[in-house]
Amino acid sequence: MKARSRFLFLALIMVAVSMTIIVTIIVVLYDHQIQQHRAMLEVTAQSQARLIESVARHEIKGRAPRPDYEPFQEAINLTVKAHERYVGFGETGEFTLARAEGDFIAFVLRHRLDTVERPAPVAFDSELAEPMRLALKGQSGTIVGLDYRGETVLAAYEPVAVLNLGIVAKIDLSEIRAPFIKSGLLATSIALFVVFAGTTLFFRVGRPIIERLDTYSRELEKEVGEHKLSVMALQETEARFRLVFELSPDPVVIAHFNDGLVIDVNKSFETWTGIVRSQAVGSNVGELDLGIDRNMRKDFRKGLQRNGQINNFETEVRLSNGTIRIVQLSARLFEIHQDLCMLIALRDITTEKAAQQVLVEMNQSKNEFISMAAHELRTPLSAIMGFTEFLLTPGEFGGFSEAQKQDFLHEVHDRGESIIRIVDDLLDVSRIENGYAVTLDLQEVDFKELLTKTVEFYRDHDSRHTFHLDFVEVAEHPKVFLDRHKIKQVLENLLSNAVKYSPGAAEITVVGRSLVGCWEVRVEDQGIGMTPEQIEHVFDKFYRADTADSATQGFGLGMSIVKQIVEAHGGSIRVESAIGQGSVVTCTFPCAVSGES
C-alpha cells in the first residue's frame, strides 16, 4: 500500500471513530430525554386524573340537587374552564379526556397550548387511540403508539374512576426526536469538516515527504522484486528436485563419487532398508551393510565412471531385517559445487521376479492339467471303445453270451457316468470361478435311503475294500429338502477319496447320525493320512494330497466342489487326519423339514 493510500485510510478511520462517538452520545442523550418525558407525562396524567376525580366528588356530594343539574357535565365544564388558562407543554404536547360510548371512544376534551377542542369519536376496536383505549380499560402506564390522529406519540394514560373516563397526556415522538436529529447532523457536518480540513492541511505540509517516500519505496520494491524472482527461481528448482526426491517410491541415495560418503537419502530408502537418515548421512555407501557383493560394487563404479550413467544394474541386497531382495540399480553423475557426486536409485523387483516364477509355474500347471485331463478322459473312453468293439464285432472274439453282453453294456454305462462326473466337476468349477452360486434343485429326500444306496453301490463295485455303514442315534428318519444329485455327488467324492488313498483290504467306515436339526455324515478311512499343511489346502482347486507312497489319479477338484455344495445347502465340512492314521471327513446338513425353506 502506498503512503498516500495509507493517509487516506487513516482519515477514513478518524471519520469512522468520530461518527461512532457522535452516534453514541446522541443515542444516550435521546434515551435520557425519552425517560424524562415519560416521567413528566405520567405525572401530568395522574395529577389531572386525581384533580378531575376530586372535582367530580365535590359536585356530586356538595350541591343540592335540582331538576336540570348533571354532576358529570358540571365536572366537565369546570375542567374545561380550568384548562382555558393552562399553557400546556411543548408544541405537540396535549392531554385528552374521553369516555366509552357503545363501540366508540367519545372524546370529551382535547387541550393543546391554549386551544381546547373535542376530537371526533374513534371506533373502540380501531388501531388508533391506543393509549386512550388502555385508559378506558382501567389500565395506567406509558406507551409509544398511535393516537386518535394516527401519529406516533409517547403517551401516559390513566383512568378517571369517578366518572368512568380516561385521560391521556401525550407528545409527538417526532418533536422529541427533532432536536437530536438536528444536533446529529450538525455534529456530523462539523466532524467531517474538521477531518477534511486536517487531512488537507496534513497533505499539503507532508506532500514532499510523501513523494520522496513513494520514490524510495518504488525503487526498493523493484530491487526486492528482482531479488525475490532470482531467489524464487532457485527455490522452485530446489523444491522440485526435493519433491521428486522425497516422493519417489524407489529408494534414492546421493553420495560423493570419489569417497562414497552419503550426502542424503529419501524416505523410501529409510522405510525400505530400515536405516534412518541420520545413520546413513556421512557413512560410506559400502558401509551401509546392504550386502552387495564387492565385485558387483566395483563393476558398478567402473561402468558409472566410464559412461556417466548406469541403467537397470541387477543385484541382490540384504536388508537390516535379514531378508534378501532383488534390485535394479540406476545411477547418474552430476556436480555439486564442482564436486563430482552420484545419484543412485534402487528399484525392488523381487515381486516382479516372483510373479515371473508364478507365471512359469502356472504354465507348468496348465500343461500338467491338460495332460491329466487327457488321461482322465482317455481311460474311460478307451474302455468304452473296447466294450463297444466287443458288441459290434462279437464274431471276431468267438462270440459272447447275453449275460456277457449285458456286463459289457453295464461297463459302458459306468464309464459314461465317470466321464459325466468329470465334465460336471469341470462345469461346476467354471461356474464358481465366474461368480455364479451353486444352483440347487431342492426336493424331499430320504437321507438314510440315499446314504445307504450310495454305500451299497461302492460295495458292489469295489471288492478290494470293506465298507461298513452304521446309523447312530437315529430315532426318526425325517425327510429333508436337498438336491439329490448334488448330495450324491458329495457322498461319491468322499467315498472315492477314501478308496483312492486307502490300501487294499482296508476298511472304510461311514456313520450317519440324525441330530437335532441336522444330519451328520462321517467317512473314515485307514489310508495314508495327511499333514497339517495338506489339510489346510485340501479344499483348494486342483490340489491333490499325493505322497511318495501313492499314485492317485484325478483333477484335484473333488473336495473343492464338495465344500461349495455343502455350504450351498447351509451345512459345514471338516477334515481330521494324521500321517499313517487315515483321515476322517465330517459333513453336516440342516434338516429343513417339510414346510420350511
Side-chain angles (χ1 to χ4, degrees), residues 249-251 268 271-273 312-317 319 323-330 345-354:
D250 296 328
S268 296
T271 304
W272 187 70
T273 63
N312 302 328
F313 185 88
E314 190 171 313
T315 185
E316 289 185 351
V317 170
L319 302 183
T323 59
I324 303 297
R325 309 294 291 181
I326 304 172
V327 299
Q328 286 181 341
L329 303 179
S330 297
L346 300 83
R347 173 156 294 180
D348 189 344
I349 60 171
T350 308
T351 303
E352 287 84 344
K353 288 288 185 181

Side-chain angles (χ1 to χ4, degrees), residues 276-289:
V276 297
R277 182 176 181 275
S278 59
Q279 179 184 350
V281 174
S283 302
N284 189 281
V285 174
E287 297 173 353
L288 293 180
D289 193 25

Side-chain angles (χ1 to χ4, degrees), residues 456-561:
E456 289 296 333
F457 176 83
Y458 273 85
R459 279 178 180 162
D460 295 340
H461 290 77
D462 187 349
S463 58
R464 296 188 309 112
H465 297 86
T466 301
F467 292 88
H468 178 68
L469 174 62
D470 190 15
F471 289 94
V472 180
E473 299 177 7
V474 182
E476 297 181 2
H477 315 306
K479 293 183 178 180
V480 294
F481 286 90
L482 301 170
D483 186 319
R484 186 182 187 90
H485 173 72
K486 296 290 186 185
I487 297 303
K488 184 179 179 183
Q489 185 179 352
V490 168
L491 297 175
E492 288 178 348
N493 264 294
L494 298 181
L495 290 171
S496 175
N497 284 339
V499 169
K500 284 180 184 179
Y501 293 99
S502 296
E507 183 178 280
I508 297 171
T509 302
V510 180
V511 179
R513 292 198 302 172
S514 176
L515 304 178
V516 177
C518 70
W519 266 97
E520 181 184 271
V521 179
R522 188 171 179 221
V523 179
E524 181 178 352
D525 62 49
Q526 298 174 348
I528 58 178
M530 289 185 289
T531 65
E533 181 181 0
Q534 289 173 329
I535 294 174
E536 184 179 351
H537 296 284
V538 72
F539 295 113
D540 294 348
K541 292 183 292 294
F542 305 117
Y543 181 78
R544 303 188 333 174
D546 295 341
T547 66
D549 298 329
S550 66
T552 60
Q553 297 178 345
F555 289 113
L557 296 174
M559 291 302 286
S560 173
I561 295 172

Side-chain angles (χ1 to χ4, degrees), residues 7 22 31 45 52 131 137 161 166 268 298 342 377 417 479 505 510 513 522 528 562 569:
F7 287 127
I22 291 170
D31 183 67
I52 294 171
K137 289 181 179 179
S268 296
K298 287 183 178 180
M342 55 184 173
L377 292 173
E417 283 192 338
K479 293 183 178 180
V510 180
R513 292 198 302 172
R522 188 171 179 221
I528 58 178
V562 164
H569 280 84

Side-chain angles (χ1 to χ4, degrees), residues 137-420:
K137 289 181 179 179
Q139 300 178 20
S140 62
T142 59
I143 187 174
V144 175
L146 298 178
D147 68 353
Y148 60 89
R149 302 167 299 155
E151 295 291 335
T152 302
V153 297
L154 173 63
Y157 50 91
E158 187 77 18
V160 181
V162 176
L163 301 177
N164 292 326
L165 299 175
I167 188 168
V168 173
K170 62 186 179 66
I171 187 170
D172 288 2
L173 205 59
S174 59
E175 182 179 350
I176 301 175
R177 290 174 178 169
F180 293 97
I181 294 173
K182 184 177 179 180
S183 300
L185 293 175
L186 180 60
T188 301
S189 301
I190 294 172
L192 291 175
F193 174 77
V194 171
V195 171
F196 176 75
T199 304
T200 303
L201 182 62
F202 182 81
F203 269 117
R204 286 187 177 182
V205 174
R207 184 173 181 179
I209 300 173
I210 294 173
E211 290 178 350
R212 285 196 299 270
L213 288 175
D214 282 342
T215 303
Y216 177 74
S217 177
R218 285 193 295 270
E219 292 175 354
L220 185 61
E221 286 179 357
K222 183 179 179 181
E223 292 179 4
V224 172
E226 292 175 353
H227 178 69
K228 281 185 177 180
L229 289 175
S230 59
V231 171
M232 285 176 59
L234 182 62
Q235 289 177 342
E236 287 175 0
T237 302
E238 182 181 354
R240 283 195 294 269
F241 173 79
R242 173 59 60 179
L243 190 63
V244 173
F245 180 74
E246 290 294 342
L247 296 183
S248 172
D250 296 328
V252 180
V253 181
I254 300 176
H256 297 282
F257 180 76
N258 294 325
D259 55 15
L261 293 180
V262 175
I263 299 173
D264 202 358
V265 297
N266 66 350
K267 290 289 184 183
S268 296
F269 181 88
E270 294 182 272
T271 304
W272 187 70
T273 63
I275 302 173
V276 297
R277 182 176 181 275
S278 59
Q279 179 184 350
V281 174
S283 302
N284 189 281
V285 174
E287 297 173 353
L288 293 180
D289 193 25
L290 295 179
I292 301 177
D293 182 73
R294 186 180 184 85
N295 293 328
M296 284 281 190
R297 291 205 304 269
K298 287 183 178 180
D299 293 342
F300 177 81
R301 185 179 178 83
K302 287 179 181 179
L304 182 59
Q305 187 174 20
R306 181 176 59 253
N307 302 318
Q309 65 177 20
I310 283 184
N311 295 314
N312 302 328
F313 185 88
E314 190 171 313
T315 185
E316 289 185 351
V317 170
R318 183 181 67 251
L319 302 183
S320 59
N321 58 8
T323 59
I324 303 297
R325 309 294 291 181
I326 304 172
V327 299
Q328 286 181 341
L329 303 179
S330 297
R332 296 290 186 275
L333 289 179
F334 67 103
E335 289 187 354
I336 300 178
H337 303 306
Q338 299 181 346
D339 183 18
L340 190 61
C341 299
M342 55 184 173
L343 184 146
I344 306 172
L346 300 83
R347 173 156 294 180
D348 189 344
I349 60 171
T350 308
T351 303
E352 287 84 344
K353 288 288 185 181
Q356 291 176 3
Q357 182 62 30
V358 169
L359 288 174
V360 171
E361 292 176 357
M362 288 178 64
N363 189 54
Q364 182 179 355
S365 297
K366 180 194 70 175
N367 294 335
E368 291 177 357
F369 174 76
I370 293 173
S371 174
M372 183 170 52
H375 176 75
E376 289 291 325
L377 292 173
R378 183 181 181 84
T379 299
L381 285 173
S382 297
I384 290 173
M385 291 296 294
F387 287 120
T388 53
E389 186 178 357
F390 287 161
L391 294 172
L392 290 172
T393 57
E396 295 182 7
F397 302 97
F400 301 102
S401 65
E402 286 299 322
Q404 287 178 315
K405 291 179 181 180
Q406 286 297 319
D407 289 340
F408 294 161
L409 288 175
H410 283 300
E411 290 293 338
V412 170
H413 180 267
D414 291 344
R415 298 301 187 274
E417 283 192 338
S418 176
I419 294 174
I420 288 174

